[in-house]
Amino acid sequence: MRNDPRWALALIRATVLEAAHPQIGAALIDNSTFVAHPWRRLRNTLVSLQRMFGADDHTRHREAARLNRLHARLSGTDAQHRPYDALDPGVRAWVVATLFDSAVTMCRLSGQPLEQTAMEHLYAEFQGFLATLGDQAGHLPHSLHEFWPYFDRVVEEELENTEAMRIILYKLFDHLPAPPLLNGLPTLWAAGRTVAGPVVGAITVASLPEPFRRRAGLPEIPGAQTLMQSAYLAAGLARFLPEGWIRAEGITDLLALSPDSDDPRAMTITALHDQVRRAGALIRLINPLSAPPPDPGETDVRRGAEEFFRAVLDQTGDGYLDWPDLAAMARELAGRLDLDEPEETRLYHAYADWWRELQSALDTDGDGRVSAQEYAVAVPSLAGPALIRVAEVLFDVTDKDGDERIDADEYRALFRTAFRRDTNGGEGTYGRVAFVKDFLSFMSGRRRSTPYDPLFADA
């Protein structure tokens, strides 16, 4: 079931139910990159689920330890001054509950309801998910019979019409940025998104529990129930396609693949990208853009301070730079490199030191965050000692064998592509000095960079 194409709809539904929980909604608003980098967020979520529900015990326990470290760093208060904590066992139980209920719902809506035995087996798998995380039994009901009253109670008594839920339903799909595969084709992507966004939103709302739809004041759109059932049925028919075509991780990898990558699938992607470009050119003949988009293959080109702030620094998409934005960078790097302790903590500490340096230098009004205007004024002074330290630590954790060179495999782990640059100090390697220089040039000089743009700026 892990690679069932219906999970695309079920995961959206589960995410909305998670975001409607006050604690989870607040954590998403404060810390998540789901607004500015939704494709990256989706891919990381799917990778984590694959690891947690895979057959390899070692991989599953390593991923559980990583999630626990990640959750330990997510706590705070919401706009109503209510505390939230991602390690709260009741909150984590609700996340698992939404996934289980959405799996059951996707089978029911697509005309293939689970039999009782299969449902109990699936519920046991999700209970095992929590057990692997180390959560004590009891926060998720012990039996399937007890689960449904628990689920209904949370839906009716605890869920709210949160800001995070509204963003997912009414903003995210309408403003969803193009995946890397379709970068440079804004007109074509916008045309498809204009149609698909409201449809996905309507399908998701129609699939939510009716008591919550009523209490949250979500609209009843005529025909939405029929549209929802048709979408689930159509997604279910995809199971008859060859297995390799519908693997979730394969599809998300494909969307994240750059057309100029050296990945074996790059030839196919490049051909597809060329076809899409031609289609985009035809659309532009009908509705020309006011200005041509920048060439995504162009390197070493200066970008404006506001564009760099929005695309790279403001990872959470709230219009400001603060600690959650830099923590998101550290989180992405740690995930790509599959870091364990203590390397992961070293990277977070380096970013925390950089945040303190930025806050001291740029936060002129003392509100605890940096605006785009504050950043633009002081941008020449960004390459301080703390940023240099970030580059040094990133080099160290990427250089797995400690030979003071980043080889082709280590480079690929970080950038997901092979060398496409003139490496300094030896064929097929990347030396410390060159690495630090390039990192600082990108992070403080605001220069476009073929490897670093996908790392931090891609959606």
Side-chain angles (χ1 to χ4, degrees):
M1 183 180 286
R2 292 195 304 273
N3 286 304
D4 194 314
R6 293 172 295 178
W7 266 113
L9 297 170
L11 275 178
I12 296 172
R13 178 184 184 273
T15 301
V16 170
L17 288 171
E18 291 172 23
H21 191 287
Q23 287 203 54
I24 300 173
L28 286 173
I29 288 295
D30 287 350
N31 301 280
S32 179
T33 61
F34 78 103
V35 173
H37 304 278
W39 296 106
R40 191 175 77 194
R41 175 72 159 77
L42 172 63
R43 184 185 185 281
N44 291 343
T45 298
L46 287 174
V47 167
S48 180
L49 287 174
Q50 291 287 331
R51 291 172 176 173
M52 287 297 292
F53 285 97
D56 185 78
D57 283 341
H58 177 69
T59 299
R60 188 161 53 249
H61 284 93
R62 283 191 73 241
E63 180 63 13
R66 186 191 70 84
L67 289 174
N68 284 334
R69 294 194 302 270
L70 187 156
H71 291 162
R73 297 184 174 102
L74 302 179
S75 60
T77 56
D78 65 11
Q80 286 76 44
H81 305 292
R82 297 176 297 184
Y84 68 82
D85 184 352
L87 281 179
D88 185 312
V91 170
R92 303 218 295 187
W94 177 245
V95 171
V96 173
T98 65
L99 290 169
F100 170 73
D101 176 74
S102 293
V104 173
T105 299
M106 80 177 186
C107 294
R108 177 174 54 82
L109 292 177
S110 57
Q112 297 175 300
L114 294 175
E115 296 181 355
Q116 184 69 18
T117 302
M119 200 181 305
E120 290 176 350
H121 178 73
L122 182 64
Y123 186 63
E125 286 190 2
F126 279 98
Q127 287 178 310
F129 182 109
L130 276 182
T132 303
L133 289 174
D135 289 10
Q136 295 181 352
H139 295 283
L140 196 66
H142 176 70
S143 68
L144 181 61
H145 176 73
E146 298 168 307
F147 172 81
W148 299 116
Y150 152 80
F151 184 85
D152 292 341
R153 180 189 62 76
V154 175
V155 166
E156 295 179 10
E157 298 178 7
E158 298 186 30
L159 300 193
E160 299 177 0
N161 190 343
T162 65
E163 180 184 359
M165 187 199 75
R166 293 192 299 271
I167 288 175
I168 295 171
L169 286 176
Y170 303 119
K171 178 181 177 182
L172 184 59
F173 296 120
D174 288 345
H175 299 82
L176 188 68
L181 175 62
L182 298 177
N183 274 345
L185 302 169
T187 305
L188 185 64
W189 176 255
R193 182 183 60 194
T194 300
V195 175
V199 170
V200 173
I203 290 171
T204 305
V205 169
S207 70
L208 297 175
E210 194 277 335
F212 177 65
R213 296 204 312 269
R214 182 176 63 250
R215 189 160 53 86
L218 298 178
E220 294 282 350
I221 301 176
Q225 290 290 331
T226 301
L227 179 64
M228 171 195 65
Q229 291 175 337
S230 299
Y232 274 94
L233 284 170
L237 292 175
R239 70 186 184 276
F240 295 112
L241 294 172
E243 182 180 356
W245 290 20
I246 60 173
R247 293 184 64 84
E249 66 270 27
I251 295 173
T252 53
D253 284 346
L254 206 61
L255 288 171
L257 191 61
S258 174
D260 63 352
S261 170
D262 67 322
D263 188 283
R265 297 165 294 179
M267 185 177 297
T268 303
I269 295 302
T270 300
L272 177 59
H273 201 266
D274 289 342
Q275 293 295 326
V276 175
R277 278 186 178 276
R278 292 190 183 98
L282 290 175
I283 292 177
R284 286 194 293 275
L285 288 175
I286 301 171
N287 183 25
L289 296 172
S290 58
D295 182 357
E298 190 176 11
T299 60
D300 201 33
V301 176
R302 285 197 177 274
R303 69 204 320 166
E306 288 190 5
E307 181 195 353
F308 183 78
F309 185 93
R310 174 189 56 78
V312 177
L313 296 179
D314 183 16
Q315 291 283 302
T316 59
D318 64 354
Y320 291 91
L321 170 63
D322 54 10
W323 167 240
D325 297 300
L326 299 193
M329 292 186 194
R331 187 163 62 243
E332 175 65 16
L333 293 169
R336 283 190 176 224
L337 296 171
D338 199 18
L339 298 182
D340 284 324
E341 291 286 20
E343 287 83 5
E344 182 184 273
T345 297
R346 284 185 63 205
L347 187 63
Y348 270 93
H349 283 173
Y351 267 96
D353 290 341
W354 186 36
W355 165 238
R356 285 188 285 269
E357 184 177 82
L358 287 174
Q359 191 177 28
S360 175
L362 305 183
D363 181 19
T364 56
D365 61 7
D367 66 350
R369 56 188 184 177
V370 176
S371 67
Q373 292 75 20
E374 289 172 327
Y375 165 77
V377 169
V379 71
S381 63
L382 278 182
L387 181 58
I388 296 173
R389 178 59 179 161
V390 170
E392 294 275 359
V393 171
L394 181 56
F395 180 89
D396 290 341
V397 297
T398 305
D399 177 25
K400 296 288 189 181
D401 57 12
D403 65 352
E404 290 296 306
R405 300 278 178 192
I406 293 177
D407 61 29
D409 290 337
E410 293 164 341
Y411 188 93
R412 181 184 293 279
L414 179 60
F415 295 116
R416 293 181 182 151
T417 186
F419 285 118
R420 289 189 179 274
R421 64 182 303 280
D422 294 328
T423 54
N424 297 328
E427 183 179 355
T429 61
Y430 199 0
R432 179 183 292 272
V433 173
F435 182 92
V436 171
K437 179 181 177 182
D438 287 349
F439 183 84
L440 294 178
S441 177
F442 177 76
M443 293 302 298
S444 63
R446 306 187 316 282
R447 291 184 180 274
R448 296 183 186 275
S449 165
T450 298
Y452 284 106
D453 261 277
L455 183 60
F456 290 122
D458 273 357

